[in-house]
Amino acid sequence: MNFASDNWAGAHPSIAAGLSAHAGGFSTAYGDGALDEAAYQRFNEIFEREVAVFFVATGTAANSLSLTAYNRSGGISFCHRESHVIEDECGAPEYFTGGSRLYAVDGALGKIDPNRLDRAVGRFAPESVHSGRPMAVSITQSTEVGTIYTLNEIARISAIAKHHKLPLHMDGARFANALVALETTPAEMTWKGGVDILSFGGTKNGCWCAEAIVLFDLDRARELAFLRKRAAQLFSKSRFVAAQFEAYFKDELWLDTARHANAMAARLAALIEDSPSARLAWQPQANEVFAVMKKAEAERLHLAGAAFYDWHKLHDFDGHIGEDEALYRFVTSFATTTEEVDRFGQLIAG
Amino acid sequence: MNFASDNWAGAHPSIAAGLSAHAGGFSTAYGDGALDEAAYQRFNEIFEREVAVFFVATGTAANSLSLTAYNRSGGISFCHRESHVIEDECGAPEYFTGGSRLYAVDGALGKIDPNRLDRAVGRFAPESVHSGRPMAVSITQSTEVGTIYTLNEIARISAIAKHHKLPLHMDGARFANALVALETTPAEMTWKGGVDILSFGGTKNGCWCAEAIVLFDLDRARELAFLRKRAAQLFSKSRFVAAQFEAYFKDELWLDTARHANAMAARLAALIEDSPSARLAWQPQANEVFAVMKKAEAERLHLAGAAFYDWHKLHDFDGHIGEDEALYRFVTSFATTTEEVDRFGQLIAG
Amino acid sequence: MNFASDNWAGAHPSIAAGLSAHAGGFSTAYGDGALDEAAYQRFNEIFEREVAVFFVATGTAANSLSLTAYNRSGGISFCHRESHVIEDECGAPEYFTGGSRLYAVDGALGKIDPNRLDRAVGRFAPESVHSGRPMAVSITQSTEVGTIYTLNEIARISAIAKHHKLPLHMDGARFANALVALETTPAEMTWKGGVDILSFGGTKNGCWCAEAIVLFDLDRARELAFLRKRAAQLFSKSRFVAAQFEAYFKDELWLDTARHANAMAARLAALIEDSPSARLAWQPQANEVFAVMKKAEAERLHLAGAAFYDWHKLHDFDGHIGEDEALYRFVTSFATTTEEVDRFGQLIAG
Amino acid sequence: MNFASDNWAGAHPSIAAGLSAHAGGFSTAYGDGALDEAAYQRFNEIFEREVAVFFVATGTAANSLSLTAYNRSGGISFCHRESHVIEDECGAPEYFTGGSRLYAVDGALGKIDPNRLDRAVGRFAPESVHSGRPMAVSITQSTEVGTIYTLNEIARISAIAKHHKLPLHMDGARFANALVALETTPAEMTWKGGVDILSFGGTKNGCWCAEAIVLFDLDRARELAFLRKRAAQLFSKSRFVAAQFEAYFKDELWLDTARHANAMAARLAALIEDSPSARLAWQPQANEVFAVMKKAEAERLHLAGAAFYDWHKLHDFDGHIGEDEALYRFVTSFATTTEEVDRFGQLIAG
């Protein structure tokens, strides 16, 4: 019953098999091999247009380099207060950009409130050397709290960004989970809605290590190649990422693993809703479930073999948390089984 | 006949199998899993003492973070003019350190000349805010030109570094190739000889992506954990590296692959020596062979299916290169076959 | 009637005379001249202990280098939401530190709320590579909104910083104004209360360009010398700053100019309080007065020759601002005359 | 007999008087005051075209920000091996640019050898993410060793820079000394010869602290304003620099002080040439004289009250230096008197 994180899972058997299948033979290094090229082409197909793809080692790298691609002196990027870039990356975005700033914007359910965003950005107009200046807007899809921006919501954020002449970055560490939940297309969820650059994550959804920056703003591709290498994010045997993506996209594996993870989360949420000892903090929309329960109950569950995290780090939760209660996070993945979920359900059935 | 680079090879079958074997099950992320811990323990055994191990994505990251671990304002690191840190990393060491400087020191056969090093470092004494100040010495083992520092040579460089109170970094992207050539132990080739921090490369020697910083100066381990995360080099599913290292070290696979690569280089060198149309630039000691031949001959070989690089980028070659000649580099690896080498030998046999 | 800013004034006649007096003769450059040494000695006397003094070009440099002196990877410095470091320095503190973060803490009247500070810092315990880690606390004395931390308030903030093992920085761009208002000593207001490093400003209080970092933590002095030079803040003809400080401290000029500026602010505040068309936003304690009035009234005053700024940039003002009203800032200095203030008083007397 | 450095002098009486004259009254801060605008206008006149002028605190700042204005990832700037940017700025250019590299090019008499420059830059073509890429060329006029690039030499360097699409920076810390020696115009010596950005120094030639970046490439002016502020180089009471430049340019004071300094150097050189105990290392062209003499003789002169520096730090001196001899540097300035020089002449007359 492991709900600690989707990065506690290993690799999907098809991903492992893909890697093995491509272990032999020689290939041009540094992203210029035939398998790399084939993977880039797959990205073009999936996004229904030409995109520039940059494999990197981690989601933090994808996010940090994405912002670096739009770096400017005195720059300020706007993100949600709970976002990974500001909460979980040890200042990598600031470090990569040589000191640009992240500006936390609030909003319910882990999503930037458009009005707050507009006001926050607006504070910096007109541009002044003293206050610094806006540089980018970054949203997370699905969010850090398991919710999802609708296409309309993305369009609204995008319109504000465009109004202020800012690029829109999407942290898609859990891109697939959002995609299948919205039943939309990658194109609709990104560039057609105004996204300029995307951190496309495969790792949490079944790969070993497969993260990519997908750049829609092709004019910046050449520069990003230098930014990536300078940041020590250019793999020599790049095809080990390409091989994973090949398997990831083949026969829609990535959509299946994401659907499975989401379904497991929904199943878990339903069991929590029915439970006398826990209640949902909010309705999950992707593969993360947040619930409130007594600390003693959580301890009992941990002892019974369930792994999940106390999520006290959440900044703002407007629901009720009793004095002896706490907020907990449960994450599902391709590797979560119905049996595990149901076993957990029995534990909390009271 | 692929002698382009050892990073053009894929993964050794045992590495691929190791990855597959560990694809299932849940494990703590970010380097704290059981497989990670087991791998760290293996490093302890191999180096015959406690070391701090940090998996990173690339050799460039290992080098850049190693220098960052010893970063200081106005810092200057001394390396060979042909070294990877200064020639092939797009300024990553300078970027990671926020602007420290690399100082190129000359020396025959890709190895820092100790007297030149001493003079170069000595120029900055006494310490002055104007000139900046020495920060580290970095050597490459085996070197970029396929040669090897003897243990005595390492000790000599180390003594100079210590005299100037500088840490000694070793870029071991081809660590195993040097190790088996010297028939020594990892401990002798590193900390026993005064090396403080090591970039330990597995990728070029049969892994997909397995690079580690091995830190002997344990007081800096805590800080390096932050430096690595801030540089976006902390893998979530870290066990995918650990699994590679497990297989890499098992039954001395890594020594076998390195011995094979070196043997292939020696075989190739012998064939070149015997050839009427090419001559060795210098004697290879690891898995890289440099040869001089007519450009027309090189073109003929390329057309016949041999892959290798023109190495005009070498700064100083004191041998003779005729007007219609050039210097070429041939790299062998675990994946190079005797048949390939011999086929090439026939091509140049005249 | 110029209340735009205290940096709109020029130099006090004694400062100008001091510069002229020392224009001749030769002197060691880069801060090692006799006049520099004499100035450092004066700082020792004024602070009643040995301090390390570093002249720099701007208050932004003093603040940014002060934080850089305590820089760490993933570092986070806590400051008030209205503080100069976060609002008015174009990201210089982040830039100088290569990407450390500023964390805005709220608090009434421009002063950090100790409880909020404690909670904000506490969120980062225990230390984690993901979230980054606290690095420093920075307070401004007098604050950006013309208020003053009492000695007790400084001690409270300091205790929290010490509890979390953090250094305490004081931005003293208007140090003298606070000092004379509190009728205390420089020692009491700084190191005796737990301040580790101080940005000591002379420019706003009558100098042309005289800013210094006063470091109480002498172990860091050697490093700070490098940090300053690397940041291009080491003046060659350093005595031009020393000469200003000599005149600044002579016969307590600096206390007189600060008292005058504060008195002018108090006089202005009293006139505003008596005015039918404006009201104080809060009671001024140093040399800045904030008032609310109708925009039309402000325009009338501007047209009548009064210079002062609309201060809409304030984040949180819990007083009432009517729809056709706005918040305005008035700053006084050594150069403000009673006549100017009274003339303004007549204008608003209705 | 102070020949230690031109920055050991104080301020010219006219500069001091200019500062005093402008000490009173209010003025817009941060470079937007009337006196600032007048100074900018003077620069336009002096350079016979519109230029963008940025006052900064130090020559190091001017140089570092000039290179930062042309910063790019993996960037490499080419400068002479003896240049101030690489020898005397504690890595500030690398720090300001977040890690770009300085590449030392050799050349006789402190001047970049055009052929070596062309080869050095050419090594990086075609552009590759591994090696990094050229970013700028920087020359020093007059040079660190008291010599001067002729207009033709500047044109030659400029042509190479342009050929490689690189901007040309001139470090003009001693701009005036070169200008009067060449008997040319500021326009001819800069933008008409292909210089894109200039560090214009007033400090060494009679000011207290008056350094400016003169940008001919106006498209970059807006960005440079942010770069300067972010680097803490924007003075609040900016008019204190403007006042110095006003006096500096008035009645051609700056040309007079430079001519005087150069004449003193020539006089000193003639005396050295006539001396039995010292010999010129090379012919001085500006205000610095380099001579070889016995160390014992130098010590005797020091004891007799002559201040000058041992210049062992020079990398390459192809003249003869005997075993008990050394190279020494003598710098003259506006403040050097004929009497001083002649007194020194008598000392070495034997």
Side-chain angles (χ1 to χ4, degrees):
Chain A
M1 295 178 295
N2 198 302
F3 309 115
S5 179
D6 33 12
N7 60 31
W8 283 45
H12 189 278
S14 299
I15 301 292
L19 266 173
S20 289
H22 288 292
F26 291 96
S27 172
T28 309
Y30 298 116
D32 296 329
L35 200 63
D36 300 308
E37 298 292 348
Y40 305 151
Q41 186 52 38
R42 281 297 283 134
F43 274 94
N44 289 343
E45 291 161 18
I46 283 166
F47 284 94
E48 301 173 43
R49 53 161 287 181
E50 190 184 350
V51 298
V53 176
F54 298 84
F55 300 154
V56 294
T58 63
T60 295
N63 290 338
S64 298
L65 283 172
S66 291
L67 294 179
T68 305
Y70 291 93
N71 197 20
R72 54 199 318 219
S73 54
I76 298 167
S77 298
F78 298 81
C79 59
H80 191 271
R81 188 173 299 280
E82 310 290 348
S83 64
H84 201 267
V85 285
I86 201 168
E87 277 289 289
D88 291 299
E89 303 190 347
C90 197
E94 293 100 322
Y95 173 60
F96 274 57
T97 53
S100 78
R101 185 181 298 170
L102 296 174
Y103 190 110
V105 180
D106 290 300
L109 292 172
K111 297 186 279 185
I112 289 178
D113 178 298
N115 294 326
R116 285 174 183 269
L117 173 65
D118 196 38
R119 279 200 303 274
V121 180
R123 272 183 63 82
F124 295 91
E127 216 177 72
S128 144
V129 296
H130 299 280
S131 58
R133 50 189 174 172
M135 171 175 124
V137 175
S138 177
I139 57 174
T140 309
Q141 178 79 322
S142 60
T143 74
E144 292 298 307
V145 301
T147 56
I148 293 175
Y149 286 91
T150 64
L151 295 189
N152 278 344
E153 286 171 337
I154 294 171
R156 176 91 169 86
I157 298 283
S158 172
I160 293 166
K162 265 52 185 173
H163 173 71
H164 293 286
K165 299 187 174 20
L166 298 179
L168 181 57
H169 165 251
M170 178 181 281
D171 175 357
R174 295 186 178 96
F175 186 84
N177 301 93
L179 188 72
V180 297
L182 286 180
E183 295 185 344
T184 186
T185 66
E188 291 290 342
M189 203 167 81
T190 57
W191 63 274
K192 287 188 175 175
V195 173
D196 297 288
I197 193 165
L198 166 70
S199 298
F200 183 92
T203 306
K204 289 181 197 289
N205 191 34
C207 294
W208 268 129
C209 168
E211 302 289 317
I213 299 168
V214 179
L215 178 63
F216 304 107
D217 176 0
L218 299 179
D219 289 346
R220 292 181 189 254
R222 182 162 185 68
E223 182 63 22
L224 190 45
F226 281 86
L227 295 177
R228 177 178 59 171
K229 172 64 190 175
R230 186 180 63 161
Q233 294 284 341
L234 176 58
F235 289 115
S236 55
K237 295 184 177 175
S238 170
R239 67 170 140 150
F240 96 90
V241 180
Q244 293 178 70
F245 275 128
E246 185 194 60
Y248 188 64
F249 292 136
K250 194 177 179 193
D251 299 332
E252 304 203 333
L253 173 65
W254 67 306
L255 304 182
D256 291 343
T257 49
R259 276 190 203 105
H260 176 79
N262 288 5
M264 290 299 101
R267 189 179 191 99
L268 182 63
L271 292 167
I272 288 171
E273 259 188 329
D274 289 349
S275 162
S277 67
R279 62 184 183 279
L280 289 179
W282 53 84
Q283 280 299 329
Q285 297 178 288
N287 67 321
E288 295 182 287
V289 180
F290 290 77
V292 176
M293 68 178 97
K294 287 202 162 53
K295 292 172 185 175
E297 174 69 356
E299 195 168 23
R300 186 182 71 85
L301 296 169
H302 283 143
L303 289 171
F308 55 93
Y309 276 118
D310 175 348
W311 215 250
H312 63 276
K313 64 171 247 179
L314 201 78
H315 286 85
D316 295 301
F317 172 55
D318 53 10
H320 174 71
I321 299 184
E323 205 171 324
D324 52 354
E325 292 181 327
L327 180 68
Y328 298 93
R329 188 190 76 163
F330 302 79
V331 191
T332 57
S333 75
F334 77 93
T336 306
T337 62
T338 309
E339 184 275 335
E340 273 183 301
V341 173
D342 290 351
R343 190 141 53 88
F344 183 80
Q346 286 167 355
L347 273 176
I348 60 169
Chain B
M1 294 180 296
N2 197 302
F3 308 115
S5 179
D6 33 12
N7 60 32
W8 284 45
H12 189 278
S14 299
I15 300 292
L19 266 173
S20 289
H22 288 291
F26 290 96
S27 173
T28 310
Y30 298 116
D32 297 329
L35 199 63
D36 300 307
E37 297 292 348
Y40 306 151
Q41 186 51 38
R42 281 298 282 135
F43 274 95
N44 289 342
E45 291 161 18
I46 284 165
F47 283 94
E48 302 173 41
R49 53 160 288 182
E50 190 185 350
V51 297
V53 176
F54 298 85
F55 300 154
V56 295
T58 63
T60 295
N63 290 338
S64 298
L65 282 173
S66 290
L67 294 178
T68 306
Y70 291 93
N71 197 20
R72 55 201 316 222
S73 53
I76 298 167
S77 299
F78 298 82
C79 59
H80 192 271
R81 187 173 299 283
E82 309 290 348
S83 64
H84 201 268
V85 285
I86 202 168
E87 277 289 290
D88 291 300
E89 302 190 348
C90 197
E94 292 101 321
Y95 174 59
F96 273 57
T97 53
S100 78
R101 186 181 296 170
L102 297 172
Y103 190 110
V105 181
D106 288 301
L109 292 171
K111 295 186 281 186
I112 289 178
D113 178 298
N115 294 325
R116 285 174 183 269
L117 174 65
D118 196 38
R119 278 201 304 276
V121 179
R123 273 183 62 82
F124 295 91
E127 216 178 72
S128 144
V129 296
H130 299 281
S131 57
R133 50 189 175 171
M135 171 175 124
V137 175
S138 177
I139 57 175
T140 310
Q141 179 79 322
S142 59
T143 74
E144 293 298 308
V145 301
T147 57
I148 293 176
Y149 286 91
T150 64
L151 295 189
N152 278 344
E153 286 171 339
I154 294 172
R156 177 91 168 85
I157 298 282
S158 172
I160 292 166
K162 265 54 185 172
H163 173 71
H164 293 287
K165 299 189 173 19
L166 298 179
L168 180 58
H169 167 251
M170 178 182 281
D171 175 357
R174 294 185 179 97
F175 185 86
N177 301 93
L179 189 72
V180 299
L182 287 179
E183 295 185 345
T184 187
T185 65
E188 291 291 343
M189 203 166 83
T190 57
W191 62 274
K192 287 188 177 175
V195 172
D196 298 288
I197 193 165
L198 167 70
S199 298
F200 184 92
T203 307
K204 289 180 194 293
N205 191 34
C207 293
W208 268 129
C209 168
E211 302 289 318
I213 299 168
V214 179
L215 177 64
F216 304 109
D217 176 0
L218 298 179
D219 289 346
R220 292 182 190 254
R222 182 161 184 67
E223 182 63 22
L224 189 45
F226 281 86
L227 295 177
R228 176 179 57 173
K229 173 63 191 176
R230 186 180 62 162
Q233 293 283 341
L234 175 58
F235 288 115
S236 55
K237 295 184 178 176
S238 171
R239 68 171 140 151
F240 96 90
V241 180
Q244 292 178 73
F245 275 128
E246 185 193 58
Y248 188 64
F249 292 136
K250 194 176 179 193
D251 299 333
E252 303 203 335
L253 173 65
W254 67 306
L255 304 181
D256 290 344
T257 50
R259 277 191 201 103
H260 175 81
N262 288 5
M264 289 300 101
R267 189 180 190 100
L268 183 63
L271 293 167
I272 288 171
E273 258 186 331
D274 289 346
S275 163
S277 68
R279 63 183 183 278
L280 288 179
W282 52 84
Q283 281 299 330
Q285 298 178 287
N287 68 320
E288 296 182 287
V289 179
F290 290 77
V292 176
M293 70 177 94
K294 287 202 160 55
K295 292 174 185 173
E297 172 69 355
E299 194 167 24
R300 186 182 71 85
L301 295 168
H302 283 144
L303 289 171
F308 55 93
Y309 276 119
D310 176 348
W311 214 250
H312 62 276
K313 64 171 247 179
L314 200 79
H315 286 86
D316 295 302
F317 173 55
D318 53 11
H320 174 70
I321 299 183
E323 204 174 321
D324 51 355
E325 293 181 329
L327 180 68
Y328 297 93
R329 188 190 76 164
F330 302 79
V331 191
T332 57
S333 75
F334 78 94
T336 307
T337 63
T338 309
E339 184 275 334
E340 273 184 300
V341 173
D342 290 353
R343 191 142 53 89
F344 183 80
Q346 287 168 354
L347 274 175
I348 60 169
Chain C
M1 295 179 295
N2 198 302
F3 308 116
S5 179
D6 33 11
N7 59 31
W8 284 45
H12 188 279
S14 300
I15 301 292
L19 267 173
S20 289
H22 288 291
F26 292 95
S27 172
T28 309
Y30 298 116
D32 297 329
L35 199 63
D36 299 307
E37 298 292 349
Y40 305 151
Q41 186 51 38
R42 281 298 281 135
F43 274 95
N44 288 344
E45 291 161 17
I46 283 166
F47 283 94
E48 301 173 45
R49 53 160 287 182
E50 190 184 350
V51 297
V53 176
F54 298 84
F55 301 154
V56 294
T58 63
T60 295
N63 290 337
S64 298
L65 283 172
S66 291
L67 294 178
T68 306
Y70 291 92
N71 197 20
R72 52 199 319 218
S73 55
I76 298 167
S77 300
F78 298 82
C79 59
H80 191 271
R81 187 173 300 281
E82 309 291 347
S83 64
H84 201 268
V85 285
I86 202 167
E87 278 288 289
D88 291 300
E89 303 190 347
C90 197
E94 293 100 323
Y95 173 60
F96 274 57
T97 53
S100 78
R101 186 181 296 170
L102 296 173
Y103 190 108
V105 181
D106 289 301
L109 291 171
K111 296 186 280 186
I112 289 178
D113 178 298
N115 294 326
R116 285 173 183 270
L117 174 65
D118 195 38
R119 279 201 304 274
V121 179
R123 272 183 64 82
F124 294 92
E127 216 177 72
S128 145
V129 297
H130 299 280
S131 57
R133 51 189 173 171
M135 171 175 123
V137 175
S138 177
I139 56 174
T140 310
Q141 179 78 324
S142 61
T143 74
E144 293 298 308
V145 301
T147 56
I148 294 176
Y149 286 91
T150 64
L151 295 188
N152 278 344
E153 286 171 338
I154 294 172
R156 177 90 169 88
I157 298 282
S158 173
I160 293 166
K162 265 52 185 172
H163 174 71
H164 293 286
K165 299 189 175 16
L166 298 178
L168 180 57
H169 166 251
M170 179 182 280
D171 175 356
R174 295 187 178 95
F175 186 83
N177 301 94
L179 188 72
V180 299
L182 286 180
E183 295 185 345
T184 186
T185 66
E188 291 290 342
M189 202 166 83
T190 58
W191 63 274
K192 287 189 176 174
V195 172
D196 298 288
I197 193 165
L198 166 70
S199 298
F200 184 92
T203 307
K204 288 181 195 293
N205 192 33
C207 293
W208 267 129
C209 168
E211 302 288 318
I213 299 169
V214 178
L215 178 64
F216 303 108
D217 177 0
L218 298 179
D219 289 346
R220 292 180 189 255
R222 182 161 185 67
E223 182 63 21
L224 190 45
F226 281 86
L227 295 176
R228 177 180 57 173
K229 172 63 190 177
R230 186 181 62 163
Q233 292 284 341
L234 176 57
F235 289 115
S236 55
K237 295 185 178 175
S238 171
R239 68 171 139 150
F240 97 89
V241 179
Q244 292 177 72
F245 275 128
E246 185 192 59
Y248 189 63
F249 292 137
K250 195 175 176 192
D251 299 332
E252 304 204 330
L253 172 67
W254 66 308
L255 304 182
D256 290 344
T257 49
R259 277 192 202 103
H260 176 79
N262 288 6
M264 290 299 100
R267 188 180 191 99
L268 182 63
L271 293 167
I272 288 171
E273 259 188 329
D274 288 348
S275 162
S277 67
R279 61 185 185 279
L280 289 179
W282 52 83
Q283 279 299 329
Q285 297 179 288
N287 68 320
E288 296 182 286
V289 180
F290 290 77
V292 177
M293 67 178 99
K294 287 203 161 53
K295 293 172 185 174
E297 173 69 356
E299 194 167 24
R300 186 182 69 87
L301 296 169
H302 283 142
L303 290 171
F308 54 94
Y309 275 119
D310 176 348
W311 215 250
H312 63 276
K313 64 171 249 179
L314 200 79
H315 286 85
D316 295 302
F317 173 56
D318 52 12
H320 174 71
I321 300 184
E323 204 172 323
D324 51 354
E325 292 181 328
L327 181 68
Y328 298 93
R329 187 189 78 165
F330 302 78
V331 191
T332 57
S333 75
F334 78 92
T336 307
T337 62
T338 309
E339 184 274 338
E340 273 183 301
V341 174
D342 290 351
R343 190 141 52 90
F344 183 80
Q346 286 167 353
L347 274 175
I348 60 170
Chain D
M1 295 180 295
N2 198 302
F3 308 115
S5 179
D6 34 11
N7 60 32
W8 284 45
H12 189 280
S14 300
I15 301 292
L19 267 173
S20 290
H22 288 292
F26 292 95
S27 172
T28 309
Y30 298 116
D32 296 330
L35 199 63
D36 300 307
E37 298 292 349
Y40 306 152
Q41 187 50 38
R42 280 298 281 136
F43 274 94
N44 289 343
E45 291 161 19
I46 283 166
F47 284 94
E48 302 173 41
R49 52 160 287 183
E50 190 185 349
V51 297
V53 176
F54 298 85
F55 300 154
V56 294
T58 64
T60 295
N63 289 337
S64 298
L65 283 172
S66 290
L67 294 178
T68 306
Y70 291 92
N71 197 22
R72 54 200 316 221
S73 54
I76 298 167
S77 299
F78 299 81
C79 58
H80 192 271
R81 188 174 299 281
E82 310 290 349
S83 64
H84 201 268
V85 286
I86 201 167
E87 278 288 289
D88 290 300
E89 303 190 347
C90 197
E94 293 100 321
Y95 173 60
F96 274 57
T97 54
S100 78
R101 186 181 297 172
L102 296 173
Y103 191 110
V105 181
D106 288 302
L109 292 171
K111 296 186 278 186
I112 290 178
D113 178 298
N115 293 326
R116 286 174 183 269
L117 173 66
D118 195 38
R119 279 200 304 275
V121 179
R123 272 184 63 82
F124 296 91
E127 215 178 71
S128 145
V129 297
H130 299 280
S131 57
R133 51 189 172 169
M135 172 174 123
V137 175
S138 177
I139 57 175
T140 309
Q141 180 78 324
S142 60
T143 74
E144 293 297 307
V145 301
T147 56
I148 293 175
Y149 286 91
T150 64
L151 294 189
N152 278 345
E153 285 171 339
I154 294 172
R156 177 89 169 85
I157 298 282
S158 172
I160 293 165
K162 264 52 184 172
H163 174 71
H164 293 286
K165 299 189 174 17
L166 298 179
L168 180 58
H169 166 250
M170 177 181 281
D171 175 357
R174 295 186 179 95
F175 186 86
N177 301 93
L179 189 72
V180 298
L182 287 180
E183 294 185 344
T184 186
T185 65
E188 291 291 343
M189 201 165 84
T190 58
W191 63 273
K192 287 189 177 175
V195 172
D196 298 288
I197 192 165
L198 166 69
S199 299
F200 183 93
T203 307
K204 288 180 195 293
N205 192 33
C207 293
W208 268 129
C209 168
E211 302 289 316
I213 299 168
V214 179
L215 178 64
F216 304 108
D217 177 359
L218 298 180
D219 289 346
R220 292 182 189 253
R222 181 161 185 69
E223 182 63 21
L224 190 44
F226 280 86
L227 296 177
R228 177 179 58 172
K229 172 64 190 176
R230 186 181 62 161
Q233 293 283 342
L234 176 58
F235 289 115
S236 55
K237 295 185 178 175
S238 171
R239 68 171 138 152
F240 97 90
V241 180
Q244 292 177 72
F245 276 128
E246 185 194 60
Y248 189 64
F249 292 136
K250 194 176 178 193
D251 298 333
E252 303 203 334
L253 172 66
W254 67 307
L255 304 182
D256 291 343
T257 50
R259 276 191 202 105
H260 175 80
N262 288 6
M264 290 299 100
R267 188 179 191 101
L268 182 64
L271 293 168
I272 289 171
E273 259 187 330
D274 289 348
S275 162
S277 67
R279 62 183 184 278
L280 289 179
W282 53 83
Q283 281 298 330
Q285 297 178 288
N287 67 322
E288 295 183 287
V289 179
F290 289 76
V292 177
M293 67 178 98
K294 286 200 162 55
K295 291 173 186 174
E297 173 70 355
E299 193 167 24
R300 185 182 71 86
L301 296 169
H302 282 144
L303 289 171
F308 55 93
Y309 275 118
D310 176 348
W311 215 249
H312 63 276
K313 64 171 248 180
L314 201 79
H315 286 85
D316 295 301
F317 172 56
D318 53 10
H320 174 70
I321 300 185
E323 204 172 321
D324 51 353
E325 292 181 328
L327 181 68
Y328 297 94
R329 187 190 76 165
F330 302 78
V331 190
T332 56
S333 75
F334 78 93
T336 307
T337 62
T338 309
E339 183 275 337
E340 274 183 300
V341 173
D342 290 352
R343 190 142 53 90
F344 182 81
Q346 285 167 354
L347 274 175
I348 61 170

